[in-house]
C-alpha cells in the first residue's frame, strides 16, 4: 500500500492502536530517510515519547511527512540545478557531489539526524573492524564523540581545526578510492571497511558543517573555484 494510505491510517483514531502502529512502520519503510532502524530511533529521540504509546503515532507521522515534503522539494531543486548546469555546458554532475538522498540525512534536522545515524553505524559489527587500521580508528573515535554530542534533544557539535579537516579529507578520498565494487570474495573485507568509513565520514561532515549544498562536492576542505566545464 502507498504512502498516502499509510498516513491516513496512522491518523485514523477509529482504528486500533496496533493497526495504526503497523501503518506507521509501513510508512517508515517507504520513507526511511536515515534507514529504517535509525529513522525509528530518531523519532523516539525527537518526540521523547514511548513508541508503544498512542501519543507517539500522530507526531511521528507528522514528522515523517514534513521530512518527505522537504526531501521532495530538494529533489526538485536538484533537477533544476542539473538542467541549468547542462544549459551552461556542464553535462556531467560534480564528482562526489551531494544529491537529495546522498549522503543520507533528515532534511530540516540534518545535524541531529547525523548524530543518530552515526550511533546506528557504530553499532554495526563491521564498524568495529575499523579499529585495526590507525587512520580508520581515528575516524571511529571522532564519530563516537560526535554521536554522543548529537544524539540528544539539544544537539551539540564539535569544531575542527585545519589539521583535523585535512586528515578527514584524506581519509574520505582513500575510502572513496577503496569503496569500489570488489572483485572476488578476498576483496570483500577491504571493501566493507572502506564503505563503512565513507558512510561514517559523510555523517561526520553533516554533523560538523550541516546540510551539504546540492550538487557541491562532499568535502572537509574548501575547494578552489574553477571555470565551468565545457567553457
Amino acid at each position: 500500500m502507498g504512502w498516502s494510505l499509510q498516513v491516513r491510517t496512522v491518523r485514523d483514531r477509529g482504528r486500533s492502536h496496533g493497526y495504526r502502529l503497523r501503518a506507521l512502520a509501513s510508512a517508515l519503510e517507504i520513507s526511511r530517510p536515515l534507514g529504517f532502524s535509525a529513522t525509528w530511533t530518531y523519532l523516539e529521540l525527537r518526540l521523547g515519547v514511548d513508541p508503544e504509546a498512542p501519543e507517539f503515532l500522530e507526531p511521528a507521522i507528522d514528522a515523517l511527512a514534513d521530512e518527505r515534503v522537504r526531501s521532495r522539494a530538494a529533489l526538485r531543486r536538484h533537477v533544476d540545478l542539473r538542467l541549468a548546469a547542462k544549459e551552461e555546458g556542464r553535462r556531467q554532475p560534480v564528482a562526489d557531489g551531494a544529491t537529495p538522498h546522498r549522503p543520507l540525512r533528515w532534511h530540516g534536522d540534518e545535524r541531529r539526524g547525523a548524530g543518530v545515524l552515526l550511533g546506528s553505524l557504530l553499532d554495526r559489527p563491521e564498524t568495529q573492524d575499523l579499529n585495526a587500521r590507525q587512520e580508520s580508528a581515528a575516524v571511529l573515535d571522532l564519530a563516537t564523540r560526535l554521536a554522543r554530542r548529537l544524539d540528544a534533544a539539544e544537539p551539540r557539535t564539535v569544531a575542527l581545526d585545519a589539521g583535523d579537516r585535512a586528515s578527514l579529507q584524506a581519509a574520505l578520498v582513500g575510502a572513496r578510492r577503496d569503496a569500489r565494487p570488489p572483485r572476488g570474495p578476498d576483496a570483500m573485507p577491504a571493501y566493507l571497511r572502506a564503505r563503512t568509513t565513507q558512510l561514517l565520514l559523510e555523517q561526520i561532515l553533516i554533523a560538523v558543517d550541516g546540510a551539504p549544498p546540492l550538487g557541491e562536492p562532499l568535502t572537509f576542505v574548501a575547494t578552489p573555484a574553477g571555470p565551468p566545464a565545457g567553457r
Side-chain angles (χ1 to χ4, degrees), residues 140-219:
L140 194 60
D141 176 69
L142 178 57
T144 302
R145 288 191 285 128
L146 281 167
R148 288 172 182 164
R149 286 172 174 260
L150 292 163
D151 191 2
E154 294 296 332
R156 296 176 295 121
T157 188
V158 299
L160 299 177
D161 61 27
D164 291 331
R165 288 182 174 274
S167 296
L168 290 169
Q169 181 63 21
L172 181 57
V173 170
R176 286 171 177 161
R177 180 192 62 235
D178 297 337
R180 295 169 181 165
R183 296 183 177 179
D186 292 343
M188 184 61 71
Y191 165 78
L192 290 176
R193 283 195 301 269
R195 181 63 182 143
T196 301
T197 301
Q198 182 179 359
L199 291 172
L200 286 169
L201 285 163
E202 288 175 349
Q203 294 307 311
I204 288 172
L205 181 62
I206 294 175
V208 173
D209 292 339
L214 289 173
E216 295 298 318
L218 296 170
T219 177

Side-chain angles (χ1 to χ4, degrees), residues 30-48:
I30 295 169
S31 182
R32 50 190 296 162
L34 304 175
F36 185 88
S37 296
T39 299
W40 195 274
T41 301
Y42 170 89
L43 290 170
E44 291 183 49
L45 173 70
R46 172 170 166 171
L47 301 177

